[in-house]
Amino acid sequence: MNLVVIGAQWGDEGKGKIVDYLSRGADVVLRYSGGANAGHTIVHGGVTFKLHLVPSGITSPGRVVVLGIGMVIDPGSLFDELEGLERAGIDWKGRVKVADRAHLVLPRYRDIDREQEKARAVPLGTTGRGIGVTYSLKSSRDGIRVVDLFDDAFMAHIPPGDREYLEPFRDRLAPMVIDASVFSHGQRGRNVLFEGAQGTLLDLDFGTYPFVSSGNSSASGAPMGGGIGPTAIDRCIGVCKAYSTRVGSGPFPSESVGERDGDLGDRLRELGREYGTTTGRPRRCGWLDLVALRYACRSNSLDSIALTKLDVLSSFDEVQACVAYRCGDARLEDFPASRAALESALPVTERLPGWQLPLGGCRRFEDLPPQARDFVRFIEESAGVAVSIVSVGPEREDTMTRQDPWTRS
């Protein structure tokens, strides 16, 4: 089975944890897009792993992980990350594969990235890691792919500084490089987990342009990044938090506003530890945006939702969710493409009773307080998609499966 896991919000939804949890049923975990601007956090036995390039399945013994075609890879960052995993006791050698058609990020791209951001009239809030520059060069057909490292004629014609940086990685990468299409074709009959980066609302085409990433972070990027066709995808799960967050600039209709919502944003940020894994930046927070979630469900043809951080809402006497936007005199229930509409949109919320009970010990859906179960069912009804997984904490064990995604219906 080919199972895709994508972010259904603005990233930071907990994809790393869900991929790690589902990797127990996978033979291969393939990350299909993004670069070191992503940050996936995994917690095992109190030990926290923060991954940026390596797929989240690496902490599951025996699983092969693949950096796919759609990724942009800084080789220095990759090997720094692998060395960190080795120090933490993770045996990665022989299990990490790199697609030969993936593109490479060079140090000077980071400088270009930062200079471009400074020059923008309205900054986009990039991580400054050269990701957008690499994707731009890829689109203009001026990029450098992994396979190009082993073409002596090609290497002889690139700038000397680039060649000097890349040369030491040729031998280190060589045993890891694969043709992703051939590799994926050989996995037929096995379980392959496709891991996305960022989220639908940061996708270059589906997201809140121009405040988006430069890659394809929606489900449509999975087959391309894995070297297969779209009909080979069996199921797609969207990960979303029980509330909404966003890092950096861009419209965020359900964001907490002090004069309207008091200290809601600060409470969610501290309770949920909402600080960027990659940058450490504080995340903007607000109630769950169901308008955006419905859009993510439609645009990705989601089969189900993995709901994370339900436990963060446990101290609230009531919870809310944004069910529509008010734009002037208009009520919008569909997510608009217009930047102006999104920036002027006010959330129309619905209130539900809170549960004010800790959820950390819950291991089955039936163990949740009735009000928490009702909130999950309200999300399902509003989104039109079932919630198959509920997470109530950072550890693998803090996860309950209502419907096993690996089981064929």
Side-chain angles (χ1 to χ4, degrees):
M1 174 184 286
N2 290 325
L3 174 63
V4 179
V5 174
I6 60 103
Q9 295 169 308
W10 279 279
D12 308 311
E13 303 96 345
K15 294 181 296 298
K17 180 198 167 165
I18 298 302
V19 169
D20 171 64
Y21 178 73
L22 292 174
S23 67
R24 294 181 296 181
D27 299 297
V28 175
V29 179
L30 187 152
R31 169 126 169 244
Y32 64 82
S33 69
N37 55 337
H40 294 174
T41 302
I42 300 169
V43 180
H44 282 315
V47 178
T48 300
F49 299 90
K50 295 186 177 182
L51 303 174
H52 301 281
L53 285 167
V54 181
S56 300
I58 191 65
T59 58
S60 293
R63 273 54 174 189
V64 172
V65 301
V66 180
L67 283 71
I69 295 170
M71 289 190 67
V72 291
I73 301 166
D74 180 330
S77 296
L78 172 61
F79 283 102
D80 285 346
E81 195 168 314
L82 291 173
E83 288 164 7
L85 286 167
E86 191 167 356
R87 287 193 299 271
I90 302 296
D91 181 13
W92 63 267
K93 292 178 181 176
R95 297 201 291 129
V96 178
K97 310 296 181 183
V98 179
D100 55 6
R101 290 177 169 84
H103 276 247
L104 294 170
V105 181
L106 301 180
R108 64 183 176 88
Y109 297 173
R110 296 194 288 267
D111 298 331
I112 297 171
D113 195 349
R114 287 189 285 265
E115 290 303 314
Q116 288 179 341
E117 183 74 352
K118 287 180 187 175
R120 289 187 174 103
V122 180
L124 301 180
T126 74
T127 61
R129 290 175 177 252
I131 307 303
V133 174
T134 310
Y135 277 118
S136 294
L137 290 169
K138 174 182 177 179
S139 295
S140 65
R141 293 156 292 179
D142 294 310
I144 300 176
R145 301 173 302 162
V146 171
V147 70
D148 296 328
L149 287 175
F150 310 102
D151 182 337
D152 291 338
F154 179 92
M155 291 291 286
H157 287 90
I158 66 174
D162 294 349
R163 187 167 59 249
E164 182 180 353
Y165 172 73
L166 290 171
E167 188 68 36
F169 295 111
R170 285 167 55 138
D171 290 342
R172 298 179 75 182
L173 277 170
M176 303 161 66
V177 176
I178 60 167
D179 180 324
S181 179
V182 172
F183 176 86
S184 292
H185 186 74
Q187 304 309 307
R188 290 173 302 169
R190 307 182 81 205
N191 285 343
V192 180
L193 186 59
F194 290 77
E195 175 182 6
Q198 286 84 44
T200 300
L201 301 176
L202 294 177
D203 181 87
L204 183 61
D205 293 303
F206 285 127
T208 52
Y209 191 90
F211 303 99
V212 293
S213 64
S214 298
N216 191 322
S217 50
S218 61
S220 57
M224 182 280 296
I228 59 176
T231 58
I233 299 299
D234 296 292
R235 189 166 292 162
C236 184
I237 298 175
V239 185
C240 79
K241 284 188 279 210
Y243 51 97
S244 295
T245 66
R246 178 167 195 164
V247 171
S249 306
F252 182 11
S254 72
E255 181 176 13
S256 171
V257 177
E259 53 268 30
R260 182 187 66 219
D261 303 311
D263 66 349
L264 171 66
D266 293 334
R267 285 184 68 188
L268 288 172
R269 185 177 303 109
E270 296 310 313
L271 288 168
R273 299 181 295 279
E274 297 296 348
Y275 295 89
T277 302
T278 299
T279 64
R281 290 182 293 183
R283 295 172 185 149
R284 301 153 63 191
C285 301
W287 293 120
L288 176 62
D289 187 336
L290 289 167
V291 181
L293 181 58
R294 285 195 295 268
Y295 171 67
C297 291
R298 289 196 308 271
S299 57
N300 291 290
S301 298
L302 294 185
D303 293 289
S304 67
I305 292 168
L307 184 69
T308 63
K309 294 200 172 184
L310 184 63
D311 53 303
V312 172
L313 301 183
S314 291
S315 65
F316 292 86
D317 56 2
E318 71 171 19
V319 295
Q320 297 184 41
C322 171
V323 296
Y325 301 151
R326 179 66 62 188
C327 293
D329 295 330
R331 177 185 168 104
L332 301 182
E333 296 191 2
D334 293 321
F335 194 78
S338 167
R339 172 178 165 184
L342 285 168
E343 288 177 340
S344 66
L346 297 174
V348 178
T349 62
E350 187 160 332
R351 300 169 183 265
L352 294 91
W355 44 93
Q356 295 187 292
L357 290 170
L359 305 183
C362 298
R363 295 295 178 265
R364 302 178 306 147
F365 185 71
E366 294 74 18
D367 296 336
L368 294 172
Q371 298 89 338
R373 296 198 301 268
D374 289 345
F375 183 61
V376 174
R377 294 187 183 107
F378 175 76
I379 293 171
E380 291 181 312
E381 182 179 348
S382 298
V385 173
V387 174
S388 59
I389 296 172
V390 179
S391 171
V392 293
E395 296 274 1
R396 268 187 184 176
E397 293 71 24
D398 300 323
T399 314
M400 54 197 78
T401 301
R402 301 177 69 200
Q403 177 185 355
D404 184 358
W406 290 116
T407 301
R408 292 184 182 273
S409 55

